Amino acid sequence: MKFTLAVALSPLDQLTELARTAEEHGYDSIALPDSLFFAERTAAAYPYTVDGSRFWTADTPWVDPLIAAAAMGAVTSRIRFYTQVLKLNPRNPVLLARQVGSVANLTGDRFGLGVGLGWAPEESEWCGASFDHRGRRADEAIEILRLILGGGMVSYQGEFYAFDRLQMSPAPRRPVPIYVGGHTEPGLRRAARTGDGWSSAMITFDELREVIDRLHTLRAEYGRTDHPFEIQAVCLDRFGPDGYRQQADIGVTDAIVMPWVNYGVGFDGLLAAKQDGLKRFADEVIGKL
């Protein structure tokens, strides 16, 4: 099993040092969250809390995940980065392809793109994108990203996006993996049909097992069982070496963790305390698996 460090809600001046520490102590990747802005009022409930409330405020620190990956990649040499997950609908996929290709090249192909639809209508509408038909729009956006990032002169004519022949250079030396988030049936189908993996939000072990079983069924339905496929999980109720072994047994390939929370350090805790949590988790868990 691989271990990915989640850095959500951390002060921005801690990110590069956390990346260095994670690399030093054997973490495989860093998961980078995405939030475009905090709308004072939203038309939709947040889907991953019991009461639909957001667990962050207008003053919570966020950074564009692509910029964060480039900055953290500049001070590391091995550890990978992926968005978990980037909100695809508000972004123009042609512009996004330019940005993703740049990050992939600058990090030496240590970048993966995790994508989701986005839950808040305001984030799409106030960025000039319709929130309607966002599933079909996402399907086209993923096609466009793969097309442009594959290199060469390409064109596209779709329902929502179209462009004549263009080329972005340099193309990444290796394909950028695209991981698809979402817990709904359409989201799972999109992951099984188009993704190089599936990325979870916060989820219990029993829920996770059900989702993984469903993904296996869907991948077989789409004839994709021979393609590599990652399961990136934020599991809420299995911890320690035995808990992570249980996750691996049901098919989790990548456990997304925030070790300092396990040791009583808050999101805004001091950098030294977070680094100590990273080291302790590496000794107590990663070193035993």
Side-chain angles (χ1 to χ4, degrees):
M1 174 181 280
K2 297 184 290 186
F3 286 89
T4 289
L5 173 66
V7 295
L9 314 186
S10 291
L12 306 192
D13 59 3
Q14 296 181 355
L15 295 182
T16 55
E17 289 304 317
L18 289 174
R20 287 192 179 105
T21 304
E23 180 171 83
E24 178 184 353
H25 290 279
Y27 295 79
D28 292 279
S29 305
I30 292 177
L32 299 166
D34 182 36
S35 180
L36 293 172
F37 52 78
F38 187 94
E40 187 174 36
R41 297 179 181 178
T42 62
Y46 181 65
Y48 302 115
T49 56
V50 174
D51 62 0
S53 64
R54 292 170 283 183
F55 56 82
W56 64 96
T57 71
D59 296 320
T60 299
W62 298 89
V63 65
D64 184 283
L66 299 172
I67 293 174
M72 298 165 91
V75 300
T76 56
S77 60
R78 176 195 59 81
I79 200 164
R80 296 182 68 251
F81 308 91
Y82 59 81
T83 53
Q84 208 267 336
V85 292
L86 181 137
K87 297 172 182 179
L88 192 54
N89 197 63
R91 292 173 164 92
N92 178 283
V94 178
L95 177 57
L96 181 59
R98 169 77 286 168
Q99 296 167 324
V100 170
S102 296
V103 174
N105 278 297
L106 289 173
T107 59
D109 296 306
R110 290 185 286 140
F111 182 72
L113 182 66
V115 298
L117 303 185
W119 63 275
E122 293 81 5
E123 284 194 316
S124 290
E125 293 164 1
W126 297 351
C127 289
S130 171
F131 198 61
D132 295 334
H133 311 300
R134 57 193 179 279
R136 300 207 307 272
R137 290 167 60 90
D139 290 339
E140 287 194 12
I142 291 170
E143 290 178 356
I144 290 168
L145 288 165
R146 291 198 189 278
L147 186 67
I148 294 177
L149 292 172
M153 193 69 66
V154 298
S155 63
Y156 188 85
Q157 298 293 322
E159 179 182 1
F160 303 102
Y161 303 105
F163 53 85
D164 290 334
R165 287 170 59 78
L166 60 80
Q167 180 171 335
M168 292 185 184
S169 298
R173 290 173 289 276
R174 289 182 287 187
V176 175
I178 296 179
Y179 314 120
V180 178
H183 293 197
T184 64
E185 177 69 10
L188 297 180
R189 285 189 172 275
R190 182 171 297 106
R193 186 179 68 250
T194 68
D196 298 301
W198 173 75
S199 197
S200 85
M202 297 174 289
I203 193 170
T204 67
F205 181 81
D206 290 340
E207 292 168 336
L208 182 59
R209 178 166 46 198
E210 290 181 8
V211 168
I212 293 173
D213 287 346
R214 182 60 179 153
L215 285 167
H216 288 325
T217 299
L218 291 171
R219 295 188 69 233
E221 179 181 317
Y222 292 119
R224 299 192 71 230
T225 55
D226 57 340
H227 293 261
F229 194 80
E230 295 189 37
I231 301 289
Q232 302 164 344
V234 184
C235 185
L236 294 172
D237 56 359
R238 292 293 190 278
F239 306 107
D242 289 342
Y244 291 109
R245 288 191 188 99
Q246 291 175 34
Q247 291 187 43
D249 287 343
I250 64 171
V252 173
T253 62
D254 189 340
I256 301 172
V257 299
M258 191 174 285
W260 53 81
V261 174
N262 299 351
Y263 303 112
V265 179
F267 295 114
D268 58 351
L270 296 176
L271 174 61
K274 291 183 177 180
Q275 290 174 311
D276 181 65
L278 289 179
K279 297 172 187 176
R280 290 176 63 185
F281 185 88
D283 291 340
E284 296 171 10
V285 177
I286 298 177
K288 296 182 178 180
L289 295 175

mmCIF file of all heavy atoms in Angstrom, residues 1 205 209 212-213 216 241-253:
data_model
loop_
_atom_site.group_PDB
_atom_site.id
_atom_site.type_symbol
_atom_site.label_atom_id
_atom_site.label_comp_id
_atom_site.label_asym_id
_atom_site.label_seq_id
_atom_site.Cartn_x
_atom_site.Cartn_y
_atom_site.Cartn_z
ATOM 1 N N MET A 1 0.837 -1.199 0.000
ATOM 2 C CA MET A 1 0.000 0.000 0.000
ATOM 3 C C MET A 1 0.868 1.242 0.000
ATOM 4 O O MET A 1 1.905 1.298 0.672
ATOM 5 C CB MET A 1 -0.927 0.005 1.220
ATOM 6 C CG MET A 1 -1.733 1.276 1.374
ATOM 7 S SD MET A 1 -2.795 1.278 2.817
ATOM 8 C CE MET A 1 -4.160 0.318 2.203
ATOM 9 N N PHE A 205 -15.237 2.270 6.405
ATOM 10 C CA PHE A 205 -14.684 1.054 5.814
ATOM 11 C C PHE A 205 -15.761 0.263 5.072
ATOM 12 O O PHE A 205 -15.539 -0.208 3.951
ATOM 13 C CB PHE A 205 -14.048 0.194 6.910
ATOM 14 C CG PHE A 205 -13.427 -1.071 6.410
ATOM 15 C CD1 PHE A 205 -12.165 -1.070 5.840
ATOM 16 C CD2 PHE A 205 -14.103 -2.270 6.520
ATOM 17 C CE1 PHE A 205 -11.592 -2.240 5.367
ATOM 18 C CE2 PHE A 205 -13.540 -3.453 6.064
ATOM 19 C CZ PHE A 205 -12.276 -3.441 5.487
ATOM 20 N N ARG A 209 -15.801 -0.554 1.070
ATOM 21 C CA ARG A 209 -15.831 -1.892 0.490
ATOM 22 C C ARG A 209 -16.945 -2.001 -0.560
ATOM 23 O O ARG A 209 -16.735 -2.592 -1.634
ATOM 24 C CB ARG A 209 -16.033 -2.931 1.594
ATOM 25 C CG ARG A 209 -16.120 -4.368 1.089
ATOM 26 C CD ARG A 209 -15.965 -5.345 2.243
ATOM 27 N NE ARG A 209 -16.789 -4.951 3.393
ATOM 28 C CZ ARG A 209 -16.583 -5.412 4.628
ATOM 29 N NH1 ARG A 209 -15.597 -6.259 4.882
ATOM 30 N NH2 ARG A 209 -17.383 -5.028 5.607
ATOM 31 N N ILE A 212 -15.818 -0.135 -3.744
ATOM 32 C CA ILE A 212 -14.783 -0.861 -4.493
ATOM 33 C C ILE A 212 -15.383 -2.047 -5.232
ATOM 34 O O ILE A 212 -15.053 -2.308 -6.400
ATOM 35 C CB ILE A 212 -13.651 -1.297 -3.549
ATOM 36 C CG1 ILE A 212 -12.902 -0.058 -3.031
ATOM 37 C CG2 ILE A 212 -12.676 -2.233 -4.263
ATOM 38 C CD1 ILE A 212 -11.870 -0.361 -1.959
ATOM 39 N N ASP A 213 -16.292 -2.764 -4.588
ATOM 40 C CA ASP A 213 -16.966 -3.875 -5.265
ATOM 41 C C ASP A 213 -17.731 -3.375 -6.492
ATOM 42 O O ASP A 213 -17.720 -4.018 -7.558
ATOM 43 C CB ASP A 213 -17.925 -4.578 -4.310
ATOM 44 C CG ASP A 213 -17.213 -5.413 -3.256
ATOM 45 O OD1 ASP A 213 -16.002 -5.675 -3.419
ATOM 46 O OD2 ASP A 213 -17.867 -5.786 -2.260
ATOM 47 N N HIS A 216 -15.328 -2.584 -9.325
ATOM 48 C CA HIS A 216 -14.887 -3.811 -10.005
ATOM 49 C C HIS A 216 -15.936 -4.268 -11.017
ATOM 50 O O HIS A 216 -15.608 -4.642 -12.151
ATOM 51 C CB HIS A 216 -14.635 -4.921 -8.986
ATOM 52 C CG HIS A 216 -13.405 -4.723 -8.158
ATOM 53 N ND1 HIS A 216 -12.256 -4.152 -8.651
ATOM 54 C CD2 HIS A 216 -13.138 -5.047 -6.857
ATOM 55 C CE1 HIS A 216 -11.337 -4.116 -7.706
ATOM 56 N NE2 HIS A 216 -11.856 -4.649 -6.601
ATOM 57 N N PRO A 241 -1.363 -0.252 11.748
ATOM 58 C CA PRO A 241 -0.948 -1.247 10.750
ATOM 59 C C PRO A 241 -2.055 -2.232 10.387
ATOM 60 O O PRO A 241 -2.262 -2.538 9.208
ATOM 61 C CB PRO A 241 0.233 -1.948 11.441
ATOM 62 C CG PRO A 241 0.797 -0.904 12.356
ATOM 63 C CD PRO A 241 -0.387 -0.131 12.851
ATOM 64 N N ASP A 242 -2.796 -2.726 11.387
ATOM 65 C CA ASP A 242 -3.859 -3.692 11.082
ATOM 66 C C ASP A 242 -4.980 -3.064 10.267
ATOM 67 O O ASP A 242 -5.522 -3.683 9.342
ATOM 68 C CB ASP A 242 -4.423 -4.278 12.375
ATOM 69 C CG ASP A 242 -3.448 -5.221 13.058
ATOM 70 O OD1 ASP A 242 -2.502 -5.681 12.379
ATOM 71 O OD2 ASP A 242 -3.620 -5.475 14.263
ATOM 72 N N GLY A 243 -5.350 -1.833 10.595
ATOM 73 C CA GLY A 243 -6.410 -1.161 9.855
ATOM 74 C C GLY A 243 -6.040 -0.914 8.408
ATOM 75 O O GLY A 243 -6.877 -1.086 7.505
ATOM 76 N N TYR A 244 -4.790 -0.536 8.163
ATOM 77 C CA TYR A 244 -4.377 -0.300 6.788
ATOM 78 C C TYR A 244 -4.227 -1.614 6.023
ATOM 79 O O TYR A 244 -4.465 -1.660 4.815
ATOM 80 C CB TYR A 244 -3.107 0.545 6.748
ATOM 81 C CG TYR A 244 -3.374 1.967 7.197
ATOM 82 C CD1 TYR A 244 -2.900 2.443 8.416
ATOM 83 C CD2 TYR A 244 -4.154 2.819 6.411
ATOM 84 C CE1 TYR A 244 -3.185 3.731 8.846
ATOM 85 C CE2 TYR A 244 -4.440 4.115 6.826
ATOM 86 C CZ TYR A 244 -3.950 4.567 8.048
ATOM 87 O OH TYR A 244 -4.246 5.846 8.461
ATOM 88 N N ARG A 245 -3.870 -2.682 6.722
ATOM 89 C CA ARG A 245 -3.860 -3.998 6.065
ATOM 90 C C ARG A 245 -5.275 -4.379 5.642
ATOM 91 O O ARG A 245 -5.482 -4.948 4.560
ATOM 92 C CB ARG A 245 -3.278 -5.057 7.001
ATOM 93 C CG ARG A 245 -1.781 -4.953 7.226
ATOM 94 C CD ARG A 245 -1.232 -6.173 7.949
ATOM 95 N NE ARG A 245 0.163 -5.971 8.319
ATOM 96 C CZ ARG A 245 0.584 -5.599 9.516
ATOM 97 N NH1 ARG A 245 -0.303 -5.411 10.488
ATOM 98 N NH2 ARG A 245 1.863 -5.433 9.758
ATOM 99 N N GLN A 246 -6.259 -4.079 6.489
ATOM 100 C CA GLN A 246 -7.648 -4.368 6.123
ATOM 101 C C GLN A 246 -8.065 -3.561 4.894
ATOM 102 O O GLN A 246 -8.767 -4.077 4.011
ATOM 103 C CB GLN A 246 -8.571 -4.053 7.298
ATOM 104 C CG GLN A 246 -8.421 -5.001 8.478
ATOM 105 C CD GLN A 246 -9.280 -4.570 9.651
ATOM 106 O OE1 GLN A 246 -10.369 -4.032 9.483
ATOM 107 N NE2 GLN A 246 -8.785 -4.801 10.850
ATOM 108 N N GLN A 247 -7.642 -2.305 4.843
ATOM 109 C CA GLN A 247 -7.950 -1.506 3.660
ATOM 110 C C GLN A 247 -7.311 -2.114 2.412
ATOM 111 O O GLN A 247 -7.947 -2.214 1.355
ATOM 112 C CB GLN A 247 -7.462 -0.073 3.847
ATOM 113 C CG GLN A 247 -8.217 0.721 4.889
ATOM 114 C CD GLN A 247 -7.796 2.187 4.896
ATOM 115 O OE1 GLN A 247 -7.640 2.801 3.837
ATOM 116 N NE2 GLN A 247 -7.609 2.747 6.077
ATOM 117 N N ALA A 248 -6.063 -2.535 2.523
ATOM 118 C CA ALA A 248 -5.386 -3.147 1.376
ATOM 119 C C ALA A 248 -6.098 -4.416 0.934
ATOM 120 O O ALA A 248 -6.213 -4.701 -0.266
ATOM 121 C CB ALA A 248 -3.929 -3.442 1.730
ATOM 122 N N ASP A 249 -6.606 -5.181 1.904
ATOM 123 C CA ASP A 249 -7.271 -6.447 1.581
ATOM 124 C C ASP A 249 -8.521 -6.253 0.726
ATOM 125 O O ASP A 249 -8.888 -7.139 -0.054
ATOM 126 C CB ASP A 249 -7.644 -7.190 2.865
ATOM 127 C CG ASP A 249 -6.445 -7.794 3.572
ATOM 128 O OD1 ASP A 249 -5.377 -7.915 2.930
ATOM 129 O OD2 ASP A 249 -6.557 -8.131 4.771
ATOM 130 N N ILE A 250 -9.201 -5.102 0.869
ATOM 131 C CA ILE A 250 -10.407 -4.878 0.068
ATOM 132 C C ILE A 250 -10.106 -4.117 -1.221
ATOM 133 O O ILE A 250 -11.025 -3.807 -1.986
ATOM 134 C CB ILE A 250 -11.508 -4.142 0.868
ATOM 135 C CG1 ILE A 250 -11.066 -2.728 1.258
ATOM 136 C CG2 ILE A 250 -11.918 -4.960 2.083
ATOM 137 C CD1 ILE A 250 -12.201 -1.885 1.854
ATOM 138 N N GLY A 251 -8.828 -3.781 -1.457
ATOM 139 C CA GLY A 251 -8.455 -3.198 -2.732
ATOM 140 C C GLY A 251 -7.930 -1.785 -2.711
ATOM 141 O O GLY A 251 -7.650 -1.219 -3.773
ATOM 142 N N VAL A 252 -7.786 -1.183 -1.524
ATOM 143 C CA VAL A 252 -7.219 0.165 -1.461
ATOM 144 C C VAL A 252 -5.745 0.093 -1.839
ATOM 145 O O VAL A 252 -4.992 -0.715 -1.295
ATOM 146 C CB VAL A 252 -7.378 0.772 -0.057
ATOM 147 C CG1 VAL A 252 -6.640 2.107 0.041
ATOM 148 C CG2 VAL A 252 -8.852 0.949 0.277
ATOM 149 N N THR A 253 -5.340 0.928 -2.782
ATOM 150 C CA THR A 253 -3.938 0.967 -3.185
ATOM 151 C C THR A 253 -3.194 2.147 -2.585
ATOM 152 O O THR A 253 -1.967 2.147 -2.527
ATOM 153 C CB THR A 253 -3.817 1.044 -4.717
ATOM 154 O OG1 THR A 253 -4.431 2.260 -5.183
ATOM 155 C CG2 THR A 253 -4.498 -0.147 -5.377
#
